[in-house]
Every structure is written in structure tokens, then in C-alpha cells.
Amino acid sequence: MSTTSPHVTEPIWTEGPDGYSLAIEGTALACRNAKGKRLKTVPKKVRESEQARRLADVLLWLERHERDCAARVESWLLGSLPVPASVLSRVWPDPAWRTLLTDLFVAPEGGGEGGFLRGVDDRGRIGVLDLDAETSWLEADRVVPLHPVLVEDLDDVREFALELGITQRLPQLTRQIHRLPASFDADATRIDGYAGGRFEQLRHAAGLAQRHGFPVRGGYATCRVVEGGRTVQARYWIGSDAPDWETETGPLVWVDDDERVLKLTGVGPVAWSEGVRMAELVHAGRKNTEEKK
């Protein structure tokens, strides 16, 4: 299957001081001496050279770029947003984008059998590895990176990926999911199962939420999802006192764009899964009170 760009495996070397050469390899500087021998570490005089400083600046930019790309792809996943083949074709030559997109499980917009994304050809066709382990071209102008809770027969797809040694830079199939319960109290608007988690300091709870990628606003850890064209935000109470005060977690709720709390019957499967996932990750960091009993 031909794609728009081959994978680049060899670093591009640039001249450094005293016959040394420098290159960016992965997320670090690589160095070789005048004889072409690769060195395990970059000598101090080379590391402090102008050439090394310029490459270090490039590395910082690349790290920011990779984070931005990952955030954008995750937003597609959380919003089940259709991505045009023309967009995939433009970004595919960029290694940061290509690494994130390769083997992402996608399906044609409007439904149909999905597959693991493998590339886009010069004609804009989207290539996938399908669930019969065959490479094929999707008859679609746009594809949707599926949230795992929406993947049919998810366990089978996960097993298939494991058998073929498929790995994903952005965890998709391995993302923790939570299914909607079969029924709710018709008027229920909150989940209290993750309330009562105690943290010695509010900053510990807030820091934990932020490390997992959840912004903290107004005392809540938050997670934004676009589902069915509607924006929904999950909110998990972690407290709003002084950062060094002890805090205790509260309810998990979902609100719409107008800040109205939704009934649980009105929460979609992706918003539900992501909200509960957020609450579980934060709640897991609470103080262990069992040892004090």
C-alpha cells in the first residue's frame, strides 16, 4: 500500500565544532566524531556549542508540536469527529502526525466496516488494515476515529490488534471505558460513588487531575466531550478551598453548554465513559484511610 510519505529512519547530520556532527534522533541530540563513530553521550564542548543550542531549540519546538498534535487527535477521538482525507494527506508526511495516526482505528463517516489506519495515497484514498488482516482502501472521503466505547465487538478488535502486534502511540483501544448502566432513576443528575475521597491538600487532587489532562475550574476536575454535535462537560468536585487545605471529593455531574446539569438519562455513551474514567483516575489518588483504622 503506497502512502504519501515513507518513514524516515536515518537522522540528518549537521556539522558541529572540531569535526563533530550533530543530529536530532527521537527526542534527544545524537553525536558522532570526525571518524563517523556514534558517541554514547555528547561531549561538553559540543553540547555547549552554538550548533547544539540551535538544535536544542528545535527539539523544544518538536516536543510542543507533538503535544499539540496529540491533543488534536485526542479531540477527534473524544468528539468522534469526521476527518477529511485531504487533511490526513496534508499531515501524513509529518512524523509527529504520522506516528499518532498510524493504526488508529477508524470507520467511514456514516457507518461501515472500520480498520487500522495505514496511510493516504496520492489520490486521497484512505488505506486501512481491515479486520480480515487485508489492506484495503475505504470508499469514503472522511473517516471517524472511533472512541473505543463505540467500537463494535471491542474485545474482538483488541484481541485482533494484540495478535498482529499492533501498537498505538495514542492509546485508543486500550483506553479504559465505562458502559452506561442499563437503567437510571429518571430524575437522577449525579453519581456519588466517587464522593468522599480525602486528600491531605487540595493541590494534590488538583495536580493529579491536571497530570491526567483534566483542567480544574471552579473546584471541579473537568472533561469536555462533543457527542452527537452537542458539547457536554463532565465535572467532578475536588474542592475550592486554599490549595494547602485538606479536601474531600464530591459528586460527578454532566453539564451542557448553558451550564445546565443534565439528567443521567441524557448523557451519551462517550461522555459517560470519559466522565467516569476521570472520576476513577482522580479518586484512585485519595489518602489510604484503611491503614489508620
Side-chain angles (χ1 to χ4, degrees):
M1 178 175 290
S2 174
T3 60
T4 56
S5 177
H7 288 264
V8 178
T9 57
E10 285 297 318
I12 299 174
W13 295 93
T14 186
E15 290 185 7
D18 300 332
Y20 288 94
S21 298
L22 289 164
I24 291 175
E25 192 167 36
T27 59
L29 287 181
C31 182
R32 64 186 183 187
N33 62 21
K35 295 181 179 180
K37 180 182 178 181
R38 293 283 292 268
L39 305 179
K40 292 182 179 180
T41 59
V42 181
K44 182 179 179 182
K45 65 177 179 180
V46 181
R47 189 170 61 250
E48 295 178 350
S49 67
E50 180 61 29
Q51 296 94 325
R53 283 194 289 270
R54 286 199 297 267
L55 289 179
D57 289 340
V58 174
L59 271 175
L60 289 174
W61 182 88
L62 287 173
E63 289 173 2
R64 289 194 298 269
H65 176 57
E66 289 176 1
R67 288 196 299 269
D68 291 344
C69 293
R72 179 59 61 89
V73 175
E74 186 172 45
S75 74
W76 294 345
L77 190 67
L78 295 183
S80 296
L81 299 176
V83 183
S86 59
V87 170
L88 295 176
S89 182
R90 284 198 300 272
V91 302
W92 195 264
D94 183 333
W97 280 104
R98 187 171 61 244
T99 300
L100 286 162
L101 293 171
T102 298
D103 285 329
L104 200 66
F105 193 78
V106 300
E109 182 186 20
E113 185 174 341
F116 295 91
L117 184 60
R118 287 297 168 94
V120 186
D121 71 1
D122 294 335
R123 295 160 53 188
R125 296 185 303 171
I126 299 171
V128 299
L129 178 70
D130 64 27
L131 297 180
D132 293 320
E134 299 287 341
T135 55
S136 61
W137 302 104
L138 294 181
E139 297 296 329
D141 295 326
R142 305 204 296 180
V143 292
V144 179
L146 294 176
H147 188 282
V149 80
L150 301 178
V151 176
E152 292 185 15
D153 301 318
L154 177 60
D155 289 340
D156 292 340
V157 175
R158 284 172 167 170
E159 184 177 351
F160 175 84
L162 186 63
E163 289 175 355
L164 269 64
I166 291 173
T167 59
Q168 297 176 315
R169 179 65 177 271
L170 181 73
Q172 178 193 24
L173 296 180
T174 57
R175 193 180 188 91
Q176 185 182 30
I177 65 166
H178 300 272
R179 303 285 186 185
L180 278 162
S183 62
F184 293 108
D185 181 318
D187 295 321
T189 59
R190 55 194 276 175
I191 295 176
D192 291 317
Y194 300 100
R198 296 176 61 194
F199 289 81
E200 289 185 356
Q201 295 184 8
L202 173 57
R203 63 163 58 94
H204 296 165
L208 178 60
Q210 290 165 344
R211 285 195 298 275
H212 283 299
F214 306 120
V216 176
R217 300 188 179 98
Y220 290 94
T222 64
C223 177
R224 180 178 176 273
V225 171
V226 178
E227 190 165 14
R230 181 182 68 162
T231 299
V232 175
Q233 186 182 79
R235 293 180 175 178
Y236 178 45
W237 179 256
I238 61 171
S240 60
D241 291 322
D244 57 348
W245 283 21
E246 186 177 57
T247 192
E248 187 172 295
T249 60
L252 170 65
V253 299
W254 286 261
V255 301
D256 63 15
D257 258 349
D258 295 321
E259 302 289 317
R260 294 175 300 194
V261 176
L262 300 173
K263 292 184 178 181
L264 298 186
T265 52
V267 178
V270 176
W272 175 271
S273 182
E274 289 299 312
V276 174
R277 174 177 175 269
M278 172 180 65
E280 277 207 350
L281 288 170
V282 176
H283 189 258
R286 68 195 184 282
K287 286 200 303 184
N288 186 349
T289 57
E290 296 298 323
E291 297 177 356
K292 298 182 179 181
K293 293 182 179 180

